[in-house]
Amino acid sequence: MAAPYQSLRERQVVSVEKVLNLNQETRRESEDHEQPSTQGVVSQATPILNAEGEPIWKVLVFDKLGRDVISSVLRVSDLRAWGVTIHLSINTTRHAIPDVPVIYLVEPTLENIKNITSDLSKGLYSPAHINFLSSVPRPLLEDFASQIATAGVAENISQVFDQYLNFTVSEPDLFSLGMGQETYWTMNSAQVGDAEMDASVDRIVSGLFSVVVTMGAIPIVRCPGKGAAEVISAKLDRKLRDHILNSKDNLFSPHNQRQTNTEHQSASRPVLIIVDRNVDIIPMLSHSWTYQSLVHDVLKMHLNRITVDLSTENEEASKAGTKRSYDLSSNDFFWAKNASLPFPNVAEDIDNQLSKYKEDAGEITRKTGASSIEDLQNDTSASAQHLKAAITLLPELRERKGILDMHMNILSALLKGIKDRQLDNYYQLEETITKQSKSQMLEFLKGTDKGTEPLDKLRLFIIWYLSVEQDISRTEMEQFTEILKEAGVDTTPLAYVKRVREITRMTMLSTTPSQQSQPSASTDFLRGFSAMSSRLTDRFKDAGLGANFENLVSNVKTLIPVKRELTLTMIAESLMDPQNASTSATAKTENYLYFDPRNANARGTMPNASQARSQQGGGMPGSLNGVRGIEASFGQKRQGFNEAIVFTVGGGSMDEYGNLQEWVKRANGGNNPSHVGPRKRVVYGSTELVNAEDFLKNELARLGTESL
């Protein structure tokens, strides 16, 4: 039986494990597993041993990106399983731990190599295993060698590796280059200098190269002409091409590929689709109804970590102002199952899971005669056989209960946010945004009962403004702006949005659903919130989450999700499956440029990142132009792909990731086990995952100020 394809997260875990194992092969790599990991976390492999057969204990030192890379896929307990007893930031004051090996996982910067040289000179650790997150530029490597030679500490260095790990993975097939919340501004501002633009483009190229290396296959690159996407595509094409030509034993050789099941790898190559954020900025602002999108929007999730304010749900906690942080890790069964589902489905499943837990716990206590799970360890009256079975199941039950308690707290915080901000109303309105007239939009924005967050009104208006075909006169725009100001909204972003509208109207594809999203009138659909509110209320009361849960539930609509595809999903479909894609989508992408690093003919000119800044698309500032790739032939336009990496330059959206995965599921036959043919797979990435509030305040507002 062929093993399923590994997710990007599983591949990165393999790479990080190898780093922690002092770059020795782990059992996960060296053995052929018939059953692949289903959790994407550290396997039950053991670290390398010393001459006495004991684990080699180590110190781990990282910079900010190194910390993010590790924390996105591993936990502290996983580090300890690999012999890491202490983990520290390279920028903090650290004390000597003589004769203990150290693993450095850092970016190749001048500051970092100075800190490493200083550590070795002080004798903090020995030996040193130095791992750079990306390829070290030759001048910097020579400078490092010079510093090491001058300090006389070369004998303290055991190994130096380029690891190609300068990206973070927060979901199985979702990655970010961790470039911060200013990349969209950098790519679109006329005030950005050439050097800063060059540095941003080079960092994106480096990150994408690392992703491609981790994926283990050289892709065909497709991108729209003009703009930053073409510059990045051309430079990435050259980087891949140079690596293949100049390295006999390159990173894409079979024995260098980062996967355990290379023999099962599809023979077809993936397509890397690179687009500029301006192709469609609506997903950056929209209100979604899926669990992961709500958590990202309402609770400001970053690298799968969120902070929940329990004081809003519990009167006793309110006095202390209690806050609790949670990690939504890959071994969280509830998150893995429900992250992509609509919120009502999640609310139902938490009830089902709690019922199942109660039944399982009750079965154990019934057999042992204990009054509760907590009493089992102190109960000596139960039969030895039953007690042994119960104690064996206790760790799993406790872990399951902890996960369910965590998600009850998260759901409670989300419900409070949904009710206060009326997010269900915004979501329902955005589902049919193109049907809203000017008068209807004015009436909605004037309403004083539209939630407690004025920024939601601005998000809704921008989505409507970018979606409707009708022209908005200057007088009408001033009227909308004034109403938003009266609602307490900073309307500075609108100055830039007016300029970007002409671009998005040419690149956006219709995302209007075929039917309107309606509150469910049937108790058959998810049994409705009203049908399960009493049970959920009891659950939350039992967990100490307050008595107001029923009121929250009763005011939140159970919306029937509708099938819709965002612009980026339609672009991906048209390039991966042109035979079945819509005509409008195919027409938009048939002129996308074509780069094949393995083909001597399918190459473009090598640009400078800041080459030919000219006004594109009606005066867009800071646009990159003048670079030409290769126009696809008829056969290349109709070429299909089973795998794709879809990358947005200037910020990513959790909504887009979810929408792409929904399309993949449909393309693979949904839950139909009899589906035949190659399975499709899409990896989604961006320069940074940015929520709507940060995108508005940190990027659009800044560009708007420059446009005034």
Side-chain angles (χ1 to χ4, degrees):
M1 178 180 176
Y5 209 102
Q6 281 185 311
S7 69
L8 180 63
R9 177 166 59 192
E10 287 174 320
R11 291 165 181 256
Q12 193 183 46
V13 168
V14 170
S15 301
V16 173
E17 284 178 344
K18 190 171 182 179
V19 170
L20 300 178
N21 207 35
L22 305 182
N23 290 295
Q24 302 296 313
E25 282 194 358
T26 66
R27 192 167 66 191
R28 176 197 286 260
E29 287 182 297
S30 58
E31 293 184 3
D32 182 17
H33 294 277
E34 288 299 323
Q35 297 296 328
S37 169
T38 59
Q39 302 293 349
V41 296
V42 138
S43 64
Q44 294 180 351
T46 55
I48 60 173
L49 308 177
N50 59 21
E52 288 74 32
E54 298 176 350
I56 299 177
W57 304 110
K58 325 166 193 80
V59 175
L60 174 64
V61 177
F62 43 63
D63 60 4
K64 181 180 182 299
L65 182 58
R67 178 201 65 197
D68 291 347
V69 168
I70 293 176
S71 64
S72 65
V73 293
L74 300 180
R75 297 165 297 175
V76 173
S77 59
D78 299 323
L79 296 179
R80 288 175 180 163
W82 287 95
V84 175
T85 56
I86 300 176
H87 51 92
L88 303 163
S89 169
I90 195 171
N91 297 313
T92 59
T93 301
R94 287 165 283 117
H95 302 288
I97 310 178
D99 301 322
V100 173
V102 60
I103 300 172
Y104 288 98
L105 186 63
V106 296
E107 290 188 89
T109 65
L110 182 60
E111 181 182 4
N112 282 339
I113 67 171
K114 286 182 177 178
N115 285 333
I116 293 172
T117 305
S118 175
D119 288 352
L120 298 179
S121 299
K122 296 175 183 176
L124 296 188
Y125 325 102
S126 181
H129 302 262
I130 301 170
N131 301 272
F132 291 112
L133 288 165
S134 59
S135 179
V136 187
R138 187 169 184 83
L140 190 61
L141 187 60
E142 292 175 350
D143 189 8
F144 186 33
S146 176
Q147 291 185 33
I148 293 296
T150 302
V153 292
E155 68 277 2
N156 294 333
I157 298 179
S158 176
Q159 48 188 218
V160 179
F161 278 88
D162 293 337
Q163 293 294 350
Y164 302 100
L165 286 172
N166 53 328
F167 62 96
T168 61
V169 184
S170 51
E171 292 292 325
D173 286 312
L174 172 67
F175 73 91
S176 164
L177 301 187
M179 294 181 62
Q181 300 171 359
E182 296 185 347
T183 312
Y184 182 79
W185 171 82
T186 301
M187 293 295 166
N188 292 279
S189 173
Q191 297 184 6
V192 174
D194 289 352
E196 186 175 354
M197 179 69 74
D198 283 334
S200 294
V201 168
D202 288 343
R203 183 172 177 184
I204 294 172
V205 171
S206 174
L208 286 175
F209 183 84
S210 296
V211 171
V212 169
V213 168
T214 303
M215 294 284 288
I218 299 174
I220 290 169
V221 184
R222 302 295 304 272
C223 71
K226 302 181 181 179
E230 182 177 359
V231 177
I232 292 165
S233 298
K235 296 195 76 170
L236 179 61
D237 172 69
R238 175 61 62 89
K239 188 177 181 71
L240 287 167
R241 194 180 297 273
D242 289 346
H243 177 75
I244 296 169
L245 293 175
N246 298 332
S247 305
K248 293 182 180 179
D249 183 23
N250 64 66
L251 293 166
F252 300 96
S253 300
H255 66 279
N256 281 333
Q257 292 183 9
R258 299 178 173 183
Q259 57 210 57
T260 64
N261 53 342
T262 55
E263 64 273 25
H264 303 302
Q265 184 183 6
S266 171
S268 63
R269 294 165 60 189
V271 59
L272 170 57
I273 305 168
I274 303 177
V275 298
D276 296 307
R277 183 67 269 171
N278 280 336
V279 74
D280 182 15
I281 68 171
I282 286 178
M284 302 296 293
L285 304 170
S286 60
H287 297 86
S288 183
W289 200 232
T290 64
Y291 192 26
Q292 61 187 4
S293 294
L294 282 168
V295 169
H296 192 250
D297 185 9
V298 178
L299 301 181
K300 307 295 186 291
M301 179 172 65
H302 179 64
L303 294 175
N304 280 19
R305 188 170 182 82
I306 58 174
T307 300
V308 176
D309 187 354
L310 301 181
S311 64
T312 59
E313 311 303 326
N314 186 294
E315 294 181 358
E316 293 181 3
S318 180
K319 299 176 183 178
T322 303
K323 291 188 177 182
R324 187 171 298 173
S325 294
Y326 297 117
D327 288 308
L328 299 172
S329 60
S330 55
N331 68 333
D332 182 338
F333 73 93
F334 190 86
W335 179 253
K337 178 183 177 182
N338 291 284
S340 62
L341 297 182
F343 187 76
N345 300 51
V346 184
E348 181 190 26
D349 194 51
I350 193 72
D351 179 61
N352 294 337
Q353 293 292 341
L354 286 167
S355 296
K356 187 175 185 301
Y357 167 80
K358 187 176 181 180
E359 291 174 1
D360 292 345
E363 180 68 13
I364 292 176
T365 55
R366 183 183 62 81
K367 289 182 178 180
T368 58
S371 58
S372 68
I373 289 291
E374 289 73 17
D375 294 338
L376 274 176
Q377 288 183 326
N378 301 322
D379 192 344
T380 59
S381 62
S383 68
Q385 183 179 359
H386 286 157
L387 191 59
K388 179 180 178 181
I391 292 177
T392 302
L393 293 173
L394 276 178
E396 187 274 334
L397 281 173
R398 285 205 178 99
E399 182 179 5
R400 199 200 319 174
K401 183 61 163 56
I403 289 174
L404 294 177
D405 286 346
M406 175 183 73
H407 283 282
M408 284 196 296
N409 281 327
I410 294 172
L411 284 167
S412 183
L414 287 180
L415 277 166
K416 179 68 164 54
I418 291 170
K419 177 179 179 292
D420 289 347
R421 294 169 56 182
Q422 297 189 19
L423 296 181
D424 50 335
N425 290 328
Y426 281 99
Y427 168 73
Q428 186 179 10
L429 192 60
E430 288 171 15
E431 287 290 276
T432 56
I433 196 68
T434 56
K435 298 180 181 180
Q436 305 301 316
S437 65
K438 297 176 184 177
S439 59
Q440 288 175 316
M441 186 55 55
L442 280 170
E443 182 180 357
F444 185 89
L445 296 178
K446 287 179 180 178
T448 57
D449 57 344
K450 305 304 179 184
T452 58
E453 176 52 73
L455 208 62
D456 289 321
K457 287 187 176 181
L458 179 61
R459 290 165 61 178
L460 177 70
F461 172 71
I462 293 176
I463 292 170
W464 175 79
Y465 178 64
L466 294 176
S467 300
V468 295
E469 295 291 336
Q470 55 190 305
D471 292 327
I472 312 297
S473 68
R474 182 174 180 178
T475 301
E476 290 170 333
M477 193 65 182
E478 290 176 351
Q479 186 179 8
F480 280 115
T481 303
E482 189 60 32
I483 291 174
L484 287 169
K485 287 181 178 178
E486 291 176 359
V489 175
D490 177 9
T491 59
T492 306
L494 294 180
Y496 178 77
V497 172
K498 285 187 285 188
R499 306 183 71 177
V500 84
R501 188 186 191 212
E502 296 305 315
I503 296 293
T504 59
R505 291 181 73 174
M506 292 187 293
T507 57
M508 276 178 55
L509 297 165
S510 175
T511 60
T512 304
S514 57
Q515 64 184 46
Q516 183 173 350
S517 174
Q518 295 285 355
S520 174
S522 171
T523 55
D524 292 334
F525 177 71
L526 305 179
R527 298 205 300 266
F529 270 173
S530 59
M532 58 186 177
S533 61
S534 59
R535 295 197 310 275
L536 283 174
T537 302
D538 293 340
R539 302 294 191 196
F540 278 66
K541 284 181 180 178
D542 292 342
L545 299 180
N548 296 322
F549 184 73
E550 186 173 5
N551 293 331
L552 296 179
V553 170
S554 64
N555 289 316
V556 175
K557 297 176 182 176
T558 302
L559 301 176
I560 302 176
V562 294
K563 175 186 174 182
R564 63 180 182 131
E565 290 182 357
L566 301 179
T567 294
L568 196 61
T569 302
M570 298 177 74
I571 289 173
E573 181 183 19
S574 68
L575 292 174
M576 294 181 69
D577 190 11
Q579 303 301 323
N580 296 317
S582 66
T583 304
S584 60
T586 304
K588 293 282 188 181
T589 60
E590 65 177 358
N591 293 323
Y592 271 33
L593 301 178
Y594 187 98
F595 298 87
D596 184 355
R598 288 195 181 278
N599 189 332
N601 296 320
R603 63 190 299 173
T605 57
M606 183 61 180
N608 293 320
S610 52
Q611 175 181 335
R613 289 174 179 270
S614 63
Q615 301 300 306
Q616 169 191 323
M620 283 302 299
S623 298
L624 301 171
N625 200 352
V627 182
R628 293 305 304 160
I630 298 301
E631 295 183 359
S633 66
F634 179 81
Q636 291 167 342
K637 291 177 181 179
R638 293 295 178 263
Q639 179 181 1
F641 299 90
N642 294 326
E643 300 169 27
I645 306 169
V646 181
F647 184 81
T648 57
V649 181
S653 160
M654 191 66 78
D655 206 15
E656 279 181 331
Y657 171 67
N659 198 252
L660 281 165
Q661 299 309 315
E662 287 175 11
W663 172 78
V664 168
K665 185 176 180 179
R666 291 196 300 271
N668 290 333
N671 297 320
N672 181 11
S674 62
H675 175 75
V676 296
R679 298 185 65 81
K680 296 194 181 297
R681 172 175 174 243
V682 174
V683 174
Y684 174 72
S686 62
T687 48
E688 182 72 73
L689 279 173
V690 185
N691 64 44
E693 180 180 349
D694 291 332
F695 188 67
L696 276 170
K697 292 183 176 180
N698 299 336
E699 310 214 60
L700 290 184
R702 194 172 178 184
L703 288 166
T705 301
E706 297 174 8
S707 302
L708 294 174

